[in-house]
Amino acid sequence: MYIDEFTNHDIAQLFAAIADLMEILGEDRFRVIAYRRAATAVSDTPMAITQLYQNQHLDRVEGLSKGMAEKIAELFVTGDIEYYSRLKERMPVGVRELLRVPHIGPRTAGRLYNEVGITGLADLRDAIDNGRLAQIKGIGARTVAGIREGIDAVADREERTLLLHAWQMGQALLTEIRQLPAVIDVAWAGSLRRGQTTIGDLDIVVVSHDPRACAVQISTLALLVKPMVQETRVMARLQNGMTLEVQVCAPATWGATLAMYTGNDAHRLWLQKQALHHGYTLDRDGLYRHGVVYDVPDEVQLYALLGMAWIPPELREYYIADVLPPQTLAPLLALGDMQGDLHMHTTWSDGNGSIAQMAESARVRGYTHAAITDHGALIGVTNGLDSKRLRAQRLEIDMVNAEYHAAGVDFHLLHGVEVDILVDGHLALPNGILHELDIVVASPHINLRQTPEVATQRLLKAIAHPAVDIIGHPRGRILGGRLGAPVDMERVIVAAAHHGVALEVNSGPDRLDIDGELVQAALAAGAVISVNSDAHDVSNHAWIEQGVATARRGGATPAQVINTWSLPQLTSYLARERHK
DNA sequence: GCCGTTTTCGGCCCGACTGTTTTCAGTCG
């Protein structure tokens, strides 16, 4: 039995590798999809697959078919999957790295191996440098340039985990740790607590009266893979492939330890400097005065002892060096401030939920309103709506609203659209229909490889359009996938502020576009922002938490985020802006 | 490979755009 050797992450990687190799080898694409689905099913499972297997509960893994469960059994029994071995004989595994590079799909990856012998990113770089790549039929100068551009964006992708996935794992860990008898309190630290868009390692700080005993208890949790205990610290791997570090401290040092583990490095050094300045020394074990531990039961007291107001973790990277923090910071946007989600899709275009289902899911989250913004007609696969279908959709939205109204429920749906911003900045729907809608989100989806000037003009033109209320995921970046359009965001922000158009923080886990830095710039210029889920399924509404974290990193206060406004306030904003 | 059955096999995600061609293959959303 090889059962202890595989985490969920390992198994998902194996299925993904099989799918990639099959695709490169030109196998039936529906079989490829089957393996991909299995990879997703496994990595979406919080419980250890090994444990489910031992309890004969693999059939409880949602989305995992019987055939794929058998492959997992084969892996646990023999240590390998025979089909995978046979694929590897036909195509080196390294070739699948090439698929991550923009402009290289399975066919090209296969040709790069067969015709030039390229087996990985390093080979690909060499082939670009020595001109071998340009010699391949069908790959011209522009494609080579595109590949050269994309290769670096892709290189560090494997190392980091998307905020959403780290968040989910962090939640699961907190829940389990909290139930241990020796635990008084527990919190995330590190980049997860700071709300970074991608996370390296997961850091957690725990408070206990008996830190050593508590560390041992933590090491027994089923979520941990190969845990190691060093006095009051636990190191382990997690099922999703991340590395975990848990530090247990005594109640008296909680404030100091949590702040030191939250960081970042620069903020940590700055805190230590401030401590010295006030006659203390500060390290991960606590705050000391004349060599004696000084009680700091929480972070607020730590910052107070160092002569300043508590700084929310999301802003700590910005408060470093000689920058003096304000004595009181305005409260940042919180999840509870959100009154409406203004960007979501339904089965009318490419979503999975009906209008009524998406509305109810938004209402249950505590919103008073939400906007249905299906795709406008342009992108084929999204089944976009033209004017005629949008008018038909209006009737269904009116009906849902009427039902809420009749039931005396305080919830209202706005009718909107997510319209494509075309290459030249024109919108993909006629002005007539755009003006009929309650709200218009305009987003760039295709042709994201433009020169900076053209890409910028494209957005500026859309912002100037009188019907546009929100610019959706302005750069179109995909985390770990592509950088997005080379837009001059400074000019875009100025224009958005001028025209009263909101810039979106899209909460899609691989988007988080715009990010914290741009939020900060936008707010400084007087623009408003809109934090939206871009949900295509009722379950996606939860993504808003990562969007809120991103807005917080930009220092957004509730008033600066149009989603916190009451329906009357939002409606008057939409009306005023439309008649400009 | 999986699903849902008219339970034995056909359908499953397809259309636009790009770059390279000279009529289209491949990538992307």
Side-chain angles (χ1 to χ4, degrees):
Chain A
M1 278 302 221
Y2 297 82
I3 195 159
D4 289 333
E5 293 180 19
F6 300 100
T7 62
N8 292 10
H9 181 69
D10 298 330
I11 300 164
Q13 280 294 310
L14 209 64
F15 281 134
I18 290 174
D20 285 349
L21 291 183
M22 288 173 75
E23 207 175 13
I24 295 165
L25 287 162
E27 299 289 323
D28 177 67
R29 65 199 176 102
F30 296 108
R31 291 181 59 216
V32 175
I33 290 170
Y35 280 96
R36 266 217 178 109
R37 204 158 30 203
T40 311
V42 169
S43 64
D44 283 353
T45 305
M47 285 279 291
I49 293 287
T50 48
Q51 208 175 31
L52 290 166
Y53 170 77
Q54 280 169 326
N55 298 334
Q56 299 184 344
H57 285 157
L58 276 186
D59 56 341
R60 291 188 191 176
V61 179
E62 204 179 326
L64 190 73
S65 64
K66 222 175 139 199
M68 292 298 158
E70 280 165 18
K71 297 273 186 220
I72 291 175
E74 179 191 350
L75 179 68
F76 288 162
V77 173
T78 70
D80 205 352
I81 293 175
E82 201 221 332
Y83 181 53
Y84 182 45
S85 310
R86 278 192 281 134
L87 288 173
K88 281 191 288 189
E89 284 167 18
R90 296 165 61 197
M91 181 65 60
V93 192
V95 178
R96 62 187 287 251
E97 281 182 11
L98 304 178
L99 295 179
R100 306 209 313 264
V101 181
H103 314 291
I104 297 183
R107 303 300 293 265
T108 309
R111 290 187 55 205
L112 289 176
Y113 171 65
N114 288 321
E115 295 175 27
V116 203
I118 292 173
T119 58
L121 290 181
D123 285 354
L124 182 63
R125 267 208 193 85
D126 286 347
I128 293 173
D129 292 341
N130 63 28
R132 272 188 301 154
L133 196 65
Q135 289 168 15
I136 297 180
K137 205 177 150 110
I139 295 183
R142 290 202 58 152
T143 306
V144 174
I147 291 173
R148 189 198 299 272
E149 219 172 84
I151 198 168
D152 292 321
V154 138
D156 68 334
R157 178 184 188 173
E158 215 98 49
E159 308 302 322
R160 301 187 69 83
T161 304
L162 293 177
L163 177 59
L164 172 72
H165 298 144
W167 190 289
Q168 290 166 333
M169 186 51 88
Q171 289 283 14
L173 282 162
L174 250 52
T175 304
E176 290 212 2
I177 290 174
R178 205 167 269 134
Q179 288 166 1
L180 296 171
V183 170
I184 299 171
D185 205 351
V186 53
W188 296 335
S191 52
L192 179 57
R193 186 161 180 243
R194 299 198 310 275
Q196 270 189 208
T197 52
T198 60
I199 309 297
D201 301 335
L202 218 122
D203 296 303
I204 288 180
V205 180
V206 177
V207 199
S208 172
H209 288 299
D210 189 349
R212 282 169 187 261
C214 185
V216 172
Q217 285 176 13
I218 289 167
S219 72
T220 64
L221 293 177
L223 286 172
L224 275 54
V225 181
K226 299 190 175 145
M228 280 183 358
V229 182
Q230 290 175 340
E231 300 185 4
T232 59
R233 183 189 297 190
V234 184
M235 322 268 274
R237 299 270 291 173
L238 294 166
Q239 286 297 339
N240 68 355
M242 296 184 86
T243 300
L244 171 72
E245 187 175 334
V246 184
Q247 176 65 52
V248 188
C249 68
T253 71
W254 171 239
T257 305
L258 183 58
M260 290 299 279
Y261 271 89
T262 297
N264 64 350
D265 286 344
H267 189 82
R268 196 165 17 238
L269 283 170
W270 181 67
L271 282 180
Q272 288 177 313
K273 207 169 123 189
Q274 298 303 311
L276 284 175
H277 181 72
H278 285 84
Y280 301 96
T281 51
L282 176 65
D283 65 29
R284 288 171 185 250
D285 299 326
L287 186 72
Y288 294 85
R289 181 147 223 168
H290 310 306
V292 181
V293 172
Y294 201 90
D295 267 18
V296 194
D298 63 47
E299 277 190 345
V300 175
Q301 296 202 32
L302 175 73
Y303 282 84
L305 283 168
L306 304 186
M308 56 188 134
W310 178 79
I311 299 170
E314 294 91 343
L315 293 180
R316 292 195 189 166
E317 287 160 47
Y318 305 111
Y319 286 105
I320 50 170
D322 295 322
V323 181
L324 268 183
Q327 286 306 300
T328 50
L329 287 162
L332 296 182
L333 172 74
L335 193 60
D337 297 322
M338 298 287 286
Q339 296 213 51
D341 194 327
L342 303 177
H343 183 172
M344 69 187 69
H345 299 264
T346 73
T347 46
W348 279 75
S349 65
D350 62 347
N352 290 323
S354 67
I355 290 174
Q357 287 169 331
M358 296 303 282
E360 187 55 16
S361 162
R363 192 192 67 78
V364 166
R365 287 194 73 80
Y367 299 148
T368 59
H369 56 275
I372 300 293
T373 58
D374 273 307
H375 287 282
L378 173 69
I379 305 174
V381 68
T382 55
N383 188 24
L385 281 66
D386 56 15
S387 303
K388 198 176 155 199
R389 287 186 67 217
L390 276 164
R391 289 182 182 120
Q393 188 184 39
R394 177 91 202 189
L395 302 177
E396 191 177 324
I397 286 175
D398 287 345
M399 227 163 62
V400 173
N401 277 331
E403 277 167 25
Y404 279 123
H405 187 75
V409 177
D410 179 25
F411 183 81
H412 183 77
L413 270 187
L414 296 164
H415 186 208
V417 73
E418 182 183 18
V419 61
D420 281 288
I421 304 173
L422 302 173
V423 271
D424 61 356
H426 280 101
L427 303 183
L429 284 170
N431 288 343
I433 186 68
L434 293 176
H435 284 289
E436 285 174 35
L437 297 164
D438 298 326
I439 185 166
V440 173
V441 181
S443 316
H445 284 105
I446 51 171
N447 311 93
L448 296 175
R449 273 183 71 207
Q450 297 178 303
T451 64
E453 187 54 29
V454 173
T456 305
Q457 287 299 339
R458 178 183 186 179
L459 288 195
L460 292 180
K461 182 153 190 172
I463 288 169
H465 192 293
V468 171
D469 303 304
I470 298 171
I471 299 293
H473 47 74
R475 294 172 299 173
R477 68 114 171 246
I478 297 294
L479 289 166
R482 62 165 188 241
L483 298 172
V487 177
D488 181 349
M489 284 303 293
E490 220 169 291
R491 287 163 68 196
V492 166
I493 284 167
V494 169
H498 175 72
H499 288 280
V501 169
L503 295 174
E504 183 183 62
V505 175
N506 186 292
S507 305
D510 57 359
R511 288 196 185 271
L512 296 178
D513 179 23
I514 54 178
D515 61 17
E517 257 172 65
L518 288 173
V519 168
Q520 200 174 34
L523 298 178
V528 288
I529 62 170
S530 181
V531 181
N532 297 314
S533 69
D534 197 358
H536 285 65
D537 187 286
V538 290
S539 66
N540 298 159
H541 275 132
W543 292 349
I544 205 73
E545 292 206 41
Q546 286 75 50
V548 167
T550 302
R552 287 171 62 89
R553 279 175 68 81
T557 61
Q560 295 167 315
V561 180
I562 68 173
N563 307 74
T564 70
W565 299 353
S566 68
L567 184 59
Q569 202 179 352
L570 177 67
T571 311
S572 70
Y573 163 79
L574 295 172
R576 178 213 67 207
E577 190 253 319
R578 179 145 320 197
H579 293 129
K580 255 188 182 176

